[in-house]
Amino acid sequence: MSKFQYLITVSPLGFMYGSAGAFLSPENLVGRSSSKFPPDSAAIAGLFLNANREQKFASHQELRDKLVISGPFWAKQDTPKQFYVPIPWHQVIAEKEDDEWVFVKKKSDEPGIVQADDDKWCLGQHQWERQNKDLKPEYSWQSIDAWNLPAEELRERKAIAKAPWEFVSFLHPKIKAQERHVVEKNGLFLESAVQIPEDYCLVYLSNYEIHSGWYRLGGEGHLVEIESHPLSEKHKINRLLNPKNKIQQAFALITPGVWGSNKLSYRYPHHPSFPRQGLKMLTDKPVPYRYRIGHSRKEEEIEGEGSRYDAKKTGRLSRGRYAVPAGSVYVVKHPLELTWWDFPDEWFPKEGFHLKHLGCGLCLPIDIQGLPQCTAKLTE
């Protein structure tokens, strides 16, 4: 694992629905699809594993051990490599205004201030601050090509956008159990779905290629068109993840971050190697995270690797977790000197495989005013 080699586009043919894997929360008591859209990278990883049963572009074990999928992002159909990623939380961009969280030095008489040498920059002596605290963000996506630009410049370049999909409700027929006819009484129910304009597509990053074509995706098997596009080392995402551009003191998630153990979810890795002391964050409320982990090892041994895939056997649900939302900002006391590829597997939960393979917590270095210079000029 060292770079993303392919960009996978998903173009829905009609409506799409949220995953059945969402678990109940105060905001999701009726299982609305909006809580689970767009499909997370686990759904695309499952599509890869199922397609490999027929296409055989890698052995099942190799794919299970080495496949890395990350997303979701989105783009316009004619320019998929200029995709959009979540805006870091330190940048607040509304329709007519923008603002940024910055670090300012605390007053010397404030309680809890950390003492340090006068000539040495110290995170404990600084705090978050911004000018317009009442300003609410109205834009949540930005072009990957404009990563790490100031909020004002993002607006000037028109490199910001709102999600292109819409949530719609429509009447759906309820089919009889034994025949394909609508039940005579209460045969219609209201269903919530998602519609994406034809000139937009969902985008995922992968280190394996899948054959372009039509596939069934999700629990209800809706048709989508999949295309694989080669991703060069000079693409902006690979340059940002290059070992020569290691994270210093600040980074932002562009996918939800699932940290901790199989039993507990945390806001950051609870591992001795992660510098959590003095950590400062900008984040929002956690988001539900759940996916189907496929069949048990015993079931796979009984069926055998060459058995025909049965779409009706959806496998088991993973443990329900909470994830730190994409866009969250982390600031550590000392330079991290790592890229996301260098993050140890032990920082992520493991359920059959480490969740790093599902692109969890994919993050990029950022600059924040008031911090020492965090990032160097991108390598060519």
Side-chain angles (χ1 to χ4, degrees):
M1 296 193 300
S2 60
K3 66 177 181 178
F4 291 109
Q5 296 174 285
Y6 296 95
L7 184 145
I8 311 299
T9 60
V10 179
S11 303
L13 303 178
F15 290 110
M16 289 195 72
Y17 303 83
S19 168
F23 55 102
L24 294 181
S25 65
E27 295 78 22
N28 189 29
L29 292 177
V30 293
R32 287 190 58 197
S33 64
S34 58
S35 298
K36 288 291 291 181
F37 191 88
D40 53 34
S41 55
I44 308 303
L47 188 148
F48 264 75
L49 292 168
N50 293 332
N52 188 52
R53 292 172 179 263
E54 295 183 0
Q55 297 177 9
K56 302 294 184 185
F57 47 83
S59 71
H60 179 75
Q61 193 61 43
E62 176 190 342
L63 203 61
R64 183 182 177 88
D65 293 342
K66 297 182 179 180
L67 176 66
V68 180
I69 299 281
S70 192
F73 313 111
W74 61 270
K76 293 184 177 180
Q77 283 278 12
D78 54 349
T79 55
K81 293 184 180 180
Q82 299 173 18
F83 57 88
Y84 285 76
V85 299
I87 297 176
W89 270 95
H90 74 291
Q91 297 178 320
V92 183
I93 305 177
E95 286 288 352
K96 298 180 179 180
E97 298 179 77
D98 57 72
D99 197 7
E100 291 196 25
W101 287 97
V102 300
F103 275 105
V104 296
K105 194 164 186 177
K106 298 178 182 178
K107 296 179 180 179
S108 58
D109 57 348
E110 286 191 23
I113 188 170
V114 177
Q115 300 299 322
D117 298 335
D118 294 337
D119 298 335
K120 192 174 182 180
W121 192 91
C122 178
L123 180 60
Q125 294 183 340
H126 293 74
Q127 63 186 5
W128 291 109
E129 187 176 287
R130 70 182 176 103
Q131 295 180 351
N132 188 357
K133 294 185 178 180
D134 295 327
L135 187 67
K136 303 295 182 182
E138 297 182 49
Y139 288 89
S140 54
W141 297 87
Q142 69 160 87
S143 170
I144 184 63
D145 293 332
W147 183 261
N148 213 19
L149 293 181
E152 185 177 358
E153 190 170 348
L154 285 174
R155 179 190 300 282
E156 291 176 355
R157 292 193 180 194
K158 298 181 179 180
I160 53 177
K162 298 179 181 180
W165 49 82
E166 296 181 356
F167 300 102
V168 296
S169 298
F170 65 97
L171 289 175
H172 196 289
K174 184 177 182 180
I175 306 298
K176 293 181 179 179
Q178 303 299 329
E179 39 183 313
R180 296 190 63 81
H181 290 83
V182 179
V183 296
E184 297 175 357
K185 188 177 181 180
N186 298 324
L188 294 175
F189 62 93
L190 194 65
E191 182 150 25
S192 181
V194 185
Q195 187 174 30
I196 303 180
E198 293 182 359
D199 53 341
Y200 288 89
C201 61
L202 301 178
V203 171
Y204 299 82
L205 305 173
S206 172
N207 60 344
Y208 278 83
E209 181 181 15
I210 188 172
H211 296 169
S212 299
W214 289 10
Y215 295 83
R216 293 197 176 275
L217 178 67
E220 298 194 17
H222 293 280
L223 275 176
V224 296
E225 184 178 7
I226 302 288
E227 292 185 1
S228 292
H229 304 267
L231 208 58
S232 72
E233 294 183 3
K234 294 185 178 181
H235 188 277
K236 187 64 176 279
I237 188 67
N238 281 328
R239 292 166 62 198
L240 286 165
L241 293 168
N242 189 289
K244 295 182 179 179
N245 297 305
K246 294 180 178 180
I247 296 168
Q248 298 302 305
Q249 285 186 265
F251 61 91
L253 304 185
I254 59 173
T255 62
V258 184
W259 316 109
S261 65
N262 281 358
K263 296 182 179 180
L264 298 173
S265 299
Y266 297 107
R267 296 196 304 165
Y268 49 82
H270 274 229
H271 190 270
S273 63
F274 183 78
R276 60 183 179 179
Q277 185 178 4
L279 174 71
K280 294 184 182 294
M281 292 181 62
L282 289 175
T283 187
D284 199 6
K285 60 185 178 182
V287 295
Y289 188 89
R290 201 174 194 181
Y291 59 94
R292 293 195 179 273
I293 58 178
H295 306 293
S296 67
R297 186 179 297 274
K298 184 176 181 180
E299 290 173 330
E300 288 184 349
E301 289 175 354
I302 293 174
E303 292 182 1
E305 185 177 339
S307 61
R308 185 174 180 80
Y309 170 65
D310 186 354
K312 295 181 180 179
K313 295 181 179 180
T314 54
R316 300 167 292 129
L317 279 173
S318 71
R319 183 184 300 273
R321 296 181 174 87
Y322 283 102
V324 180
S328 298
V329 171
Y330 292 73
V331 182
V332 294
K333 289 179 62 176
H334 305 290
L336 200 59
E337 295 293 349
L338 297 171
T339 69
W340 178 82
W341 288 110
D342 300 324
F343 286 6
D345 286 345
E346 291 74 24
W347 287 10
F348 303 86
K350 180 179 181 181
E351 191 165 0
F353 50 86
H354 292 284
L355 295 193
K356 183 179 179 181
H357 289 258
L358 296 181
C360 286
L362 181 63
C363 57
L364 303 174
I366 56 174
D367 290 327
I368 300 177
Q369 186 177 338
L371 283 180
Q373 188 68 17
C374 290
T375 56
K377 185 178 179 181
L378 289 179
T379 57
E380 296 297 334

